[in-house]
């Protein structure tokens, strides 16, 4: 049985990822001051310019800081699974670009460390009533899987 997948939101990451379309976050870069933003934004938060261009961000970075989400967030806005499983969330520094807040695939804080190399990946977020699996981006320790 083939599972239909869809991204949690359009324009956050390349979709569908594959050999000709590697998984990358979609950001923007201000044409006037050079600020890189994620998610992509039409206006610059630094200089208020309306001149920005889409930019694919690095798919690897280092763990800047992290914490654990040990309880189900309030609904709304959270619409994830009712059977909540704790997870880690952190900021990953993409070299020369920015910090990205993201879910981490490693839920055990004892297996994470500041400065750890991380790689972009996709993880299940929820399954809709029609069986469609909704996926979101996350970062995984770079040594967890082969590139």
């Amino acid at each position: 049985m083939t599972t239909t997948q869809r991204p949690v939101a359009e324009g956050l990451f390349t979709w569908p990822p594959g050999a000709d379309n590697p998984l990358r976050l979609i950001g923007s870069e201000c044409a006037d001051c050079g600020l890189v933003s994620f998610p992509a934004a039409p206006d610059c938060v630094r200089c208020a310019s309306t001149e920005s261009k889409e930019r694919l961000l690095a798919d690897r970075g280092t763990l800047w800081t992290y914490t654990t989400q040990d309880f189900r967030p309030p609904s709304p806005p959270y619409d994830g699974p009712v059977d909540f499983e704790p997870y880690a969330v952190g900021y990953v520094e993409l070299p020369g670009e920015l910090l990205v807040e993201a879910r981490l695939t490693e839920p055990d804080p004892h297996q994470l460390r500041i400065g750890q190399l991380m790689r972009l990946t996709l993880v299940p977020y929820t399954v809709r009533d029609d069986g469609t699996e909704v996926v979101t981006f996350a970062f995984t320790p770079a040594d967890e899987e082969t590139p």
Side-chain angles (χ1 to χ4, degrees):
M1 179 171 117
T2 303
T3 302
T4 302
Q5 290 184 320
R6 74 173 186 89
V8 69
E10 295 296 326
L12 286 180
F13 48 86
T14 51
W15 186 260
D20 295 333
N21 191 34
L23 178 62
R24 301 287 284 278
L25 296 177
I26 302 170
S28 58
E29 182 175 355
C30 176
D32 291 338
C33 74
L35 180 71
V36 177
S37 299
F38 177 78
D43 300 329
C44 179
V45 296
R46 179 190 291 156
C47 72
S49 170
T50 58
E51 300 297 320
S52 67
K53 60 182 177 179
E54 191 173 279
R55 172 180 171 157
L56 296 180
L57 302 176
D59 65 347
R60 293 175 190 266
T62 56
L63 188 57
W64 192 74
T65 194
Y66 61 92
T67 190
T68 55
Q69 178 67 41
D70 294 321
F71 58 90
R72 189 176 195 279
S75 295
Y78 182 77
D79 64 351
V82 175
D83 296 334
F84 178 79
E85 300 231 1
Y87 59 88
V89 63
Y91 281 97
V92 174
E93 183 174 16
L94 304 181
E97 295 178 320
L98 74 164
L99 294 173
V100 173
E101 182 181 5
R103 217 173 146 164
L104 305 176
T105 62
E106 175 55 67
D108 182 356
H110 300 293
Q111 299 300 314
L112 297 168
R113 68 185 187 290
I114 304 299
Q116 186 171 15
L117 295 176
M118 305 297 282
R119 181 176 54 80
L120 182 65
T121 191
L122 293 177
V123 294
Y125 174 70
T126 193
V127 177
R128 299 286 182 226
D129 291 339
D130 67 359
T132 300
E133 181 182 53
V134 179
V135 295
T136 191
F137 69 93
F139 281 88
T140 191
D143 57 6
E144 209 173 81
E145 298 175 18
T146 57

